[in-house]
Amino acid sequence: MSNLNIDSVKARTFDAIVIGSGISGGWAAKELTEKGLKTLVLERGKDVKHVVDYPTTNMYPYEFDHRGEVPLAIQQAAPIANRCYAFREDAMHFFVKDKEHPYIQEKPFDWIRGYQVGGKSLLWARQTQRWSDFDFEGPGRDGFAVDWPIRYKDIAPWYTYVEKFAGIAGNKDGLKELPDGDFLPGYPLNAVEDYFKQVLSTRYGGSRHVVSARCAHLSKPNQIHIDQGRVQCQNRILCQRGCPFGGYFSSNSSTLPWAEKTGNLTLRPFSVVHSVLYDEEKGKATGVKVIDANTKEEIDFYAKVIFVNAAALNTNLILLNSVSNRFPNGLGNDNGLLGKFVAFHNYSARISAEYDGLKEYKTDGRNPAGGGYIPRFRNILKQETNFLRGYAAGFSAHRSMDRDLSKIGNDLKNELLNPVLGPWRVGSHMMGETIPKEESYVALETNKQDEWGMPLLKISMDYDDNDVKMKADYIEQLTEMFTEAGFTNITPNTASQAPGLDIHEMGGVRMGNDPKTSLLNKWNQLHQCSNVFVTDGACMTSTSTQNPSLTYMAFAARSVDYAVNEMKKNNL
């Protein structure tokens, strides 16, 4: 019996454990296995194999029972997920259903989740911008949160490293606030997007820009992408279904298969991580307690180093639930700040208009980048507004097709079969930086548990006065810019939406130099438990205006490199 126990423990012992298989977890797995570490990846949801588990990817519109619409009964059963733009008949199977995974909203928060291998990397919008020193120096300059322990020069080589492997399309635009990267060819702006770019350049003296949106699509694959089994993006714009071509980056098409090829990967789906195990005598984490999602059996796995990449809020949940005599309030939480200073991106304002010019042009085909991107232009070099920080914005234009749907019979049929080109329609959406604050937090509700016995997560964050002022400025400035361009029928849309729909929640396990005011050091390593690393959104000290996923990838690769070197020195 004793030998059986020894064999059982041995079978559950690895060099490294990665919790989560999404964008950052996939990168941690790739790097650890490539460096020779036997690595266990734990995923709470089902397995999703690249290509074979994309059931709708090649379906025609008429093959869907509801032509792409989500039936009312399903909408009503999933009121939160249903607010996400991608929750449609072709992709709803990749979203967490609200009733199956409850949480507590102390203030309204739309928590959008994807519990399957690959996580939300199957569903993301694929926008990938580097952060600049205007972002990493922001908290220190503007006096909020804590200073980042790194600067752009520390992470720039790792941006390049992940960009080459993932494949990022973009142009070298030469902007200090939006550093250039190692790009595949960018997708071109259309005639009106380019016209608006020229208007801003002329009217604002080179201080405001429209650039081609940078995205994780293979516009022209290199050999490293072919070696992954991926080919050029087909511009189908059906990405949320999973891409059988690997045209956009996901864990499923890229990092996880790459890790599997090393022979060092063990992937265990249906594994709800309960907590990180801590050994007080060793002063280290020794493993992870898992609840099998199907059998509810508790199983312990062991490793020398643990990467927590469960996605920002679930990483907070796991660490808060990792209690011991040494850490009664959660792993590494001596300062009581675990779960606090969370933030998000403010996407609650949009604006649209029409343009009557350039009618000699129309668009042909689809742009997977989505059009243009307006980098942040407020408060970059100095404080110039009545709010802190700033916002970026999306910008796109398309030529509409007009049909008179008020007709009936043959007249209606003729309208449908013979549409005519209408005016250009343009639109923009705001991507505002919110300020992490101590009163914005997540915590455990230990009196309420889910089906697997895990305490429910309480979420409490909201817009503040800074967000309100920033939103008003976005509407004012975009209205002015649209007016300068000669756009008409300018229509702001400030309909409120709860935080969360941006799907960019960040913080709670923030990085910093001082263990008294932060949880992680400059290597994403818990100050108080040196063999545990956090490289997903939970580690973020502030939120910037750029989409964060590329930064998570770079953090994961950089931290694995550091961790493995430390293991070789017997420092972990």
Side-chain angles (χ1 to χ4, degrees):
M1 182 62 76
S2 59
N3 285 337
L4 288 176
N5 287 337
I6 291 171
D7 289 345
S8 174
V9 170
K10 186 177 180 181
R12 289 180 280 120
T13 300
F14 299 82
D15 295 323
I17 293 175
V18 178
I19 302 172
S21 62
I23 275 184
S24 64
W27 265 99
K30 170 190 172 294
E31 296 300 305
L32 288 163
T33 54
E34 274 194 313
K35 295 177 187 298
L37 273 66
K38 296 293 184 183
T39 302
L40 172 66
V41 173
L42 298 168
E43 166 55 51
R44 69 176 292 154
K46 64 183 179 182
D47 196 4
V48 174
K49 295 293 187 189
H50 181 50
V51 182
V52 298
D53 288 326
Y54 305 153
T56 62
T57 189
N58 287 322
M59 289 176 64
Y60 288 99
Y62 55 81
E63 293 181 296
F64 289 94
D65 290 341
H66 305 91
R67 302 297 186 267
E69 296 298 319
V70 178
L72 181 60
I74 297 177
Q75 293 184 38
Q76 292 174 335
I80 296 169
N82 187 49
R83 297 187 187 110
C84 180
Y85 69 95
F87 187 79
R88 293 176 56 78
E89 191 176 23
D90 63 350
M92 60 184 181
H93 50 283
F94 287 145
F95 285 82
V96 161
K97 307 303 183 293
D98 302 343
K99 285 186 176 179
E100 297 172 3
H101 301 277
Y103 64 99
I104 298 171
Q105 303 177 63
E106 291 195 338
K107 297 175 181 176
F109 185 89
D110 293 332
W111 192 12
I112 307 298
R113 293 160 287 172
Y115 291 166
Q116 62 260 324
V117 168
K120 290 179 290 186
S121 77
L122 287 167
L123 298 166
W124 67 313
R126 308 164 305 283
Q127 300 294 299
T128 40
Q129 307 98 18
R130 293 187 179 200
W131 287 31
S132 75
D133 267 338
F134 295 112
D135 306 302
F136 290 113
E137 295 175 357
R141 187 194 81 168
D142 293 339
F144 66 95
V146 294
D147 193 14
W148 278 89
I150 66 165
R151 291 294 182 263
Y152 177 69
K153 63 179 175 55
D154 298 310
I155 197 170
W158 294 99
Y159 276 135
T160 300
Y161 181 78
V162 298
E163 285 166 345
K164 286 182 177 178
F165 189 83
I168 307 299
N171 298 315
K172 293 187 181 298
D173 300 298
L175 305 177
K176 288 184 178 180
E177 64 272 32
L178 193 70
D180 292 331
D182 193 291
F183 296 141
L184 306 175
Y187 290 92
L189 301 173
N190 65 36
V192 169
E193 291 162 354
D194 190 62
Y195 162 73
F196 189 53
K197 171 182 179 177
Q198 303 306 322
V199 169
L200 294 195
S201 177
T202 302
R203 171 63 180 79
Y204 295 96
S207 63
R208 300 186 185 186
H209 309 275
V210 176
V211 304
S212 176
R214 299 169 181 178
C215 63
H217 283 256
L218 299 182
S219 56
K220 184 180 180 182
N222 291 326
Q223 187 61 48
I224 187 63
H225 309 119
I226 303 296
D227 291 345
Q228 295 170 42
R230 302 168 60 200
V231 298
Q232 184 169 336
C233 171
Q234 305 295 299
N235 298 6
R236 301 191 318 156
I237 319 296
L238 299 173
C239 312
Q240 71 280 1
R241 300 181 183 182
C243 180
F245 304 97
Y248 73 88
F249 173 84
S250 69
S251 297
N252 310 68
S253 67
S254 181
T255 46
L256 291 177
W258 195 264
E260 189 173 19
K261 285 199 303 185
T262 67
N264 292 323
L265 175 70
T266 299
L267 175 63
R268 193 182 196 281
F270 298 114
S271 299
V272 179
V273 172
H274 174 276
S275 57
V276 177
L277 305 172
Y278 182 78
D279 187 308
E280 296 183 21
E281 289 187 6
K282 295 178 179 177
K284 293 181 179 179
T286 54
V288 170
K289 181 180 291 296
V290 163
I291 302 168
D292 187 284
N294 295 318
T295 66
K296 311 292 173 58
E297 179 188 8
E298 286 191 6
I299 310 170
D300 292 346
F301 294 94
Y302 305 99
K304 300 170 187 171
V305 63
I306 296 162
F307 275 73
V308 189
N309 297 80
L313 299 190
N314 270 324
T315 285
N316 276 273
L317 188 159
I318 290 169
L319 293 178
L320 285 164
N321 203 42
S322 301
V323 296
S324 60
N325 290 329
R326 169 65 182 85
F327 295 111
N329 299 312
L331 186 63
N333 191 21
D334 285 353
N335 55 26
L337 296 179
L338 179 59
K340 298 179 180 178
F341 292 94
V342 291
F344 54 97
H345 278 157
N346 182 359
Y347 274 48
S348 66
R350 290 168 287 278
I351 189 167
S352 61
E354 295 181 359
Y355 184 53
D356 202 37
L358 295 172
K359 284 189 171 179
E360 66 273 33
Y361 296 103
K362 63 178 182 178
T363 55
D364 185 22
R366 307 177 186 90
N367 182 352
Y373 177 84
I374 303 173
R376 174 185 163 201
F377 55 87
R378 288 303 226 184
N379 303 325
I380 295 179
L381 299 176
K382 62 180 181 180
Q383 184 62 39
E384 58 188 2
T385 69
N386 63 348
F387 58 87
L388 287 177
R389 312 303 295 157
Y391 50 83
F395 176 77
S396 63
H398 70 280
R399 193 81 187 271
S400 62
M401 301 297 289
D402 281 353
R403 303 176 179 87
D404 185 355
L405 302 181
S406 66
K407 296 181 178 178
I408 59 174
N410 284 334
D411 291 338
L412 175 59
K413 183 178 179 181
N414 287 331
E415 286 287 336
L416 294 173
L417 293 175
N418 301 287
V420 297
L421 280 170
W424 284 93
R425 301 186 191 280
V426 303
S428 170
H429 63 280
M430 171 189 182
M431 297 179 278
E433 178 172 354
T434 68
I435 304 298
K437 304 178 291 290
E438 186 164 8
E439 59 266 32
S440 298
Y441 67 89
V442 296
L444 302 185
E445 178 54 70
T446 53
N447 294 323
K448 295 183 179 179
Q449 299 177 335
D450 66 13
E451 181 182 340
W452 299 272
M454 294 291 291
L456 299 192
L457 192 68
K458 290 187 295 188
I459 302 175
S460 182
M461 62 180 106
D462 203 350
Y463 300 108
D464 61 17
D465 184 58
N466 198 68
D467 300 321
V468 173
K469 291 175 179 175
M470 187 186 295
K471 184 172 172 176
D473 189 76
Y474 164 82
I475 294 296
E476 179 182 291
Q477 295 302 311
L478 266 293
T479 299
E480 177 187 294
M481 291 152 65
F482 277 18
T483 302
E484 291 287 342
F487 297 162
T488 58
N489 295 327
I490 299 172
T491 306
N493 180 350
T494 58
S496 61
Q497 65 180 44
L501 274 186
D502 50 287
I503 323 181
H504 289 175
E505 55 268 16
M506 290 177 253
V509 197
R510 69 182 180 185
M511 298 170 70
N513 289 309
D514 188 348
K516 295 179 181 176
T517 58
S518 61
L519 280 299
L520 303 170
N521 67 13
K522 65 180 179 180
W523 300 109
N524 297 74
Q525 181 181 29
L526 277 177
H527 288 301
Q528 307 298 346
C529 187
S530 61
N531 64 334
V532 174
F533 294 77
V534 176
T535 63
D536 62 11
C539 77
M540 304 300 273
T541 305
S542 62
T543 69
S544 177
T545 61
Q546 285 90 309
N547 298 61
S549 296
L550 185 69
T551 301
Y552 304 163
M553 298 186 212
F555 273 142
R558 177 176 179 267
S559 297
V560 168
D561 185 69
Y562 171 78
V564 173
N565 285 332
E566 289 297 290
M567 292 173 77
K568 291 176 180 175
K569 300 173 188 174
N570 294 319
N571 290 337
L572 290 183

